[in-house]
Amino acid sequence: LMLGKEEIVSPSLDELKELRGQLNEKLNNHPYTKELDEIIANKEFKVGVEAPEFSIKGMDGEDIELKNFAGKYILLDFWASWCGPCLKAAPAIRELARKYADRGLQVIGVSVDDDSAAWRQALAMHDLDYCPQVLSCESADDEALYFPEEADLADLYRVTQIPCLILIDREGRIAARWQRITPTEESQLEETLH
């Protein structure tokens, strides 16, 4: 990258991590340190990287684990019961699941709701039980979790806004990340599934 007459080199992920490791922990709450942490997190989560593994309870209490879908294409659909654009997109995503099932596409719905009753009501009202559905941070005893280390999939997959769709290829790598499905995204999906 050139800026004026000077060349600006983007540091590698390893260089950024090394720099972060050199910072005194007293600086952990400094805005620049937080910005550096965010840059590192975003560099770690890009198309082509290995998808983070997860194990979480589904809508019927079953264990939903990424490794159980090995060899399939997985489309993680991050949504919420209160998200109008998410619910509006639901029929199109259901149609993609039907249309591409024979090519190995499996949709997994991931709700970011913190109210399991609202989530379950939305599942029934919008006919979303066509695919496995999970709460982004749900415990086995149906209590929402508020600690990222306890399995918040939205944090794990760096989802900061919804709707968000993340396509994982057969090798378990992030193949695409979209905010919506338009003909352009469906063409990318179809190309990936070949």
Side-chain angles (χ1 to χ4, degrees):
L1 178 65
M2 295 291 289
L3 183 62
K5 294 181 181 180
E6 295 184 40
E7 183 177 355
I8 297 175
V9 179
S10 179
S12 71
L13 179 58
D14 289 337
E15 290 169 330
L16 290 171
K17 285 182 173 181
E18 182 180 333
L19 174 64
R20 179 62 175 96
Q22 293 173 6
L23 295 177
N24 186 307
E25 66 181 55
K26 291 178 183 177
L27 295 173
N28 284 351
N29 289 324
H30 190 280
Y32 290 152
T33 305
K34 289 181 177 184
E35 185 176 350
L36 177 59
D37 289 342
E38 188 173 325
I39 290 168
I40 291 170
N42 288 334
K43 275 191 174 263
E44 287 179 324
F45 194 83
K46 299 256 184 205
V47 169
V49 301
E50 189 170 329
E53 183 59 56
F54 62 84
S55 177
I56 197 165
K57 296 287 182 195
M59 62 187 163
D60 297 321
E62 74 281 20
D63 287 328
I64 307 291
E65 298 181 54
L66 185 60
K67 67 182 179 185
N68 291 345
F69 297 96
K72 290 189 172 225
Y73 293 96
I74 307 300
L75 184 63
L76 297 177
D77 174 20
F78 288 86
W79 67 283
S81 64
W82 43 263
C83 173
C86 300
L87 298 174
K88 185 177 179 183
I93 295 168
R94 182 175 38 251
E95 177 57 22
L96 287 177
R98 185 203 61 76
K99 184 176 178 180
Y100 296 111
D102 62 337
R103 294 197 199 167
L105 181 66
Q106 173 66 58
V107 174
I108 299 175
V110 183
S111 172
V112 298
D113 279 288
D114 59 5
D115 178 349
S116 65
W119 170 61
R120 291 183 188 283
Q121 184 178 5
L123 290 173
M125 186 182 301
H126 298 282
D127 193 29
L128 299 174
D129 60 356
Y130 69 92
C131 69
Q133 293 281 347
V134 301
L135 278 173
S136 179
C137 49
E138 177 77 359
S139 70
D141 60 359
D142 207 34
E143 290 294 321
L145 300 174
Y146 297 99
F147 304 101
E149 66 274 10
E150 292 184 300
D152 187 334
L153 293 183
D155 284 347
L156 191 63
Y157 279 85
R158 308 279 189 243
V159 173
T160 58
Q161 60 185 12
I162 55 173
C164 181
L165 300 146
I166 297 176
L167 181 64
I168 302 169
D169 68 19
R170 291 181 191 261
E171 288 76 42
R173 298 197 171 282
I174 305 296
R177 183 182 182 102
W178 306 305
Q179 290 303 129
R180 66 191 65 78
I181 294 290
T182 67
T184 301
E185 284 82 10
E186 186 170 352
S187 292
Q188 289 177 335
L189 174 64
E190 193 162 334
E191 187 177 308
T192 301
L193 296 178
H194 274 101

